Every structure is written in structure tokens, then in C-alpha cells.
Amino acid sequence: LLAATCTALLITTTFWLQYLAAANRVTAERAGQLDLSVETLKQQLSGAETKAGETATAAAALERSWSGSKGELDRCLAEQQRMVRRVDESDTHATKLVAHAETMMNEISTLK
């Protein structure tokens, strides 16, 4: 009876040890998979951070470019306004010259 009990206990212990070993292997595999998943997520995060940095750099470059373009546009607009004023001044001067010429023509015709 003692031998049968010891044998049963040995079989039960062996079964549970094999079960625990199998469970340990499954747990180790899952832990390995989780490690790979964590590593993949870290790489994706690193890639996203890199892209975010690149995007920020590109946005800053675009902003600098826009500022430069806006400055150039402002300078062109100011030059155009100066040119319009000069044309207006020339037009005013030409109108005065025409009026003076008409006055002189009238004076000349009255002298004849």
C-alpha cells in the first residue's frame, strides 16, 4: 500500500512538474513575444519621433521661407506704390505743361 501510494504520488508529482514546465515554456514564449512587441513599439515610437522632428524642421523652414517671401512681397508692393506716385507726379507735371503750352499758343495767336 505504501509503495502504491508513493508511486501514485510520484506519478502525480511528475505530471504536475511536466505541466508546470510546459506552462513555463508557454509563459517564456509569450514573454518573448511581448518583448518583441515592446521592441517593435519602441522602434515605431522612435520613427514617429523622427518624423515629428522632420516635420517640425520642415515647418520651420517653410515659415522662414514664407517670412522671406512676405518680406520680398512687401518690398515689391512698396516699390510699386513709389512708381505709381511717380506716374501721378509725371501726369500732373504733363498736365501743367499742356496748360502752359495752350496758354502760350493763345498768347501767340493774340499777338498775330
Side-chain angles (χ1 to χ4, degrees):
L1 181 66
L2 184 59
T5 304
C6 285
T7 303
L9 187 58
L10 182 62
I11 291 171
T12 305
T13 304
T14 303
F15 168 79
W16 282 110
L17 286 174
Q18 289 175 348
Y19 174 80
L20 289 174
N24 193 24
R25 279 192 303 274
V26 169
T27 302
E29 288 174 9
R30 288 186 182 161
Q33 291 171 351
L34 287 175
D35 285 345
L36 288 176
S37 295
V38 167
E39 188 59 35
T40 301
L41 288 174
K42 284 180 182 178
Q43 290 171 355
Q44 290 174 348
L45 178 60
S46 176
E49 288 172 343
T50 299
K51 287 191 184 277
E54 291 169 356
T55 302
T57 300
L62 185 60
E63 185 176 350
R64 284 191 303 277
S65 174
W66 164 248
S67 295
S69 297
K70 185 177 181 314
E72 184 64 26
L73 182 63
D74 289 345
R75 285 189 290 281
C76 288
L77 183 59
E79 181 62 26
Q80 181 185 22
Q81 289 170 344
R82 281 192 293 276
M83 291 173 72
V84 166
R85 281 194 301 274
R86 286 181 188 162
V87 168
D88 287 345
E89 291 169 359
S90 296
D91 187 46
T92 301
H93 186 66
T95 302
K96 288 179 183 177
L97 286 175
V98 168
H100 184 65
E102 288 175 349
T103 303
M104 290 179 72
M105 292 294 285
N106 288 338
E107 289 178 6
I108 290 173
S109 56
T110 56
L111 290 176
K112 288 183 180 178

